[in-house]
Each structure stands twice: as structure tokens, then as C-alpha cells.
Amino acid sequence: TITTYSGCYWNDKLDEIYDDLDTGFTFTSAQEIGTKLYSRQCTLNVGVGKNVSFSEDDPDFCAQTNQMAYDWALKHAPGKSASRFQSKGVPFVFGADVQKAGGPLFLNARLQFTEKQQDGKNVMEVVSFKQATEQNYWEDHFHVPRPSSIPDPGCYHYCKLLSPARAMEWMLVDGLRSQDFELESVLI
């Protein structure tokens, strides 16, 4: 059994004001899911008995997971809504993960959404912050014995993940806001 921990982040103060005024300009789903996972390196070394290096965690794990949430939403959106989004919506693209150097820096970082142009088309780039710690993190960084009162910080992969509900909300509402539609084309 591998235990993971997750916590959702909903809105900042400005979004709460918009939400309180019921303007429809803020999202109703979680903006992100902050997740603590067992690293790939440690899953393979400790769980499977292999001997792999920390480079096993090099791929953009958070971006890969965010892509899966987006793909899930595309697959599960109502048919006409998915077609409309694919033809008229602003798609998500996923940038490289950004490594944070410590817990507080990771905790206070938020999933980034940045409007961009890609191949002459508007896209919304989603960038995740991560903090990955190798199996021997304490020994490699602190060079003193770890006090028994401090939990071992090694073997973890922290990610700011895209909520599948947020991906769906983007496809059904927010990713279509900047487009011009005839009224009949937006009715489901």
C-alpha cells in the first residue's frame, strides 16, 4: 500500500469576492489539487526491490498527470460540448514542471494558467510546481544525522495538479468565454 495525501485549493480572495457577487467570472471547481506522492525512485527501489537512480523522477510527472486529467475531461464531456470545445475552445497545453526548493515555497505556489499563442492559435498553458526528493535526501543535503523527531523527507514527489473538475469546467464554460457564438450553437 502506498499512501498519498491531497488537498484542494479553491479561490484566492479576489475570486471569493467575484463568487460572493455571483458574477459567473470565477470557477466553482478546485483550481488545483496539491498532492504528496511516493516518488517513482522509491516505489521501484523500496516497493519492487529494484535499484534505480533519482533520474527515474526526471520526466515532468506533474505535467503528465495534468494531461491525464485533461484527457479524462475531454473523454467524459457531453458529446456536443466536447465537439464545440474542440472546434471553438481554447485548449490547455502543459508546460514543464517547475521545481521548488523547499516545503513553504511549494505550498505557496499555485498552478499557473497563462494565455499564449502556439502555432497561431490561442492556448492556455498550465504549469505545475513540484518538489521531488530523492531516496537519500537528508544525507545528500544536510550532512548531519537526521534527528529521530524529524520525519524522513526523502522519497516524495509533491505536485500541484489540475483538478479533473476544473478541466471539465474549462471545456464547458471558461475555455469558451473569448469566442463569439451564435446563441443556437451554445445551447446543449
Side-chain angles (χ1 to χ4, degrees), residues 26-39:
T26 188
F27 38 81
T28 58
S29 57
Q31 178 182 345
E32 69 182 26
I33 304 171
T35 304
K36 178 181 179 180
L37 308 159
Y38 208 47
S39 70

Side-chain angles (χ1 to χ4, degrees), residues 133-145:
T133 58
E134 67 270 21
Q135 192 165 4
N136 298 318
Y137 182 81
W138 186 274
E139 294 85 9
D140 293 346
H141 291 83
F142 297 105
H143 310 294
V144 296

Side-chain angles (χ1 to χ4, degrees), residues 57-58 62 97-100 106 128-132 157-158:
D57 286 280
D58 282 346
C62 304
D97 298 345
V98 176
Q99 173 76 20
K100 289 295 185 177
F106 172 79
S128 182
F129 291 97
K130 74 174 184 179
Q131 182 179 0
H157 204 123
Y158 300 82

Side-chain angles (χ1 to χ4, degrees), residues 89-107:
V90 177
F92 279 155
V93 296
F94 299 92
D97 298 345
V98 176
Q99 173 76 20
K100 289 295 185 177
L105 298 173
F106 172 79
L107 288 173

Side-chain angles (χ1 to χ4, degrees), residues 4 23 40 51 70 79 93 100 108 115 122 124 126 131-132 137 145 148-149 159 161:
T4 64
T23 63
R40 288 177 176 170
N51 185 19
Y70 183 61
V93 296
K100 289 295 185 177
N108 293 326
E115 293 180 54
N122 290 336
M124 181 64 72
V126 180
Q131 182 179 0
Y137 182 81
S148 60
S149 61
C159 280
L161 297 177

Side-chain angles (χ1 to χ4, degrees), residues 49-122:
K50 292 188 175 185
N51 185 19
V52 300
S53 72
F54 187 50
S55 65
E56 196 69 32
D57 286 280
D58 282 346
D60 290 318
F61 175 80
C62 304
Q64 291 171 356
T65 306
N66 289 337
Q67 181 69 56
M68 286 191 273
Y70 183 61
D71 292 344
W72 178 91
L74 275 171
K75 182 179 177 183
H76 290 89
K80 286 184 179 179
S81 298
S83 295
R84 180 177 52 249
F85 178 76
Q86 289 176 326
S87 68
K88 299 180 185 281
V90 177
F92 279 155
V93 296
F94 299 92
D97 298 345
V98 176
Q99 173 76 20
K100 289 295 185 177
L105 298 173
F106 172 79
L107 288 173
N108 293 326
R110 296 283 166 237
L111 198 61
Q112 287 185 337
F113 297 88
T114 306
E115 293 180 54
K116 296 182 114 175
Q117 287 279 316
Q118 183 175 315
D119 301 324
K121 187 176 172 185
N122 290 336

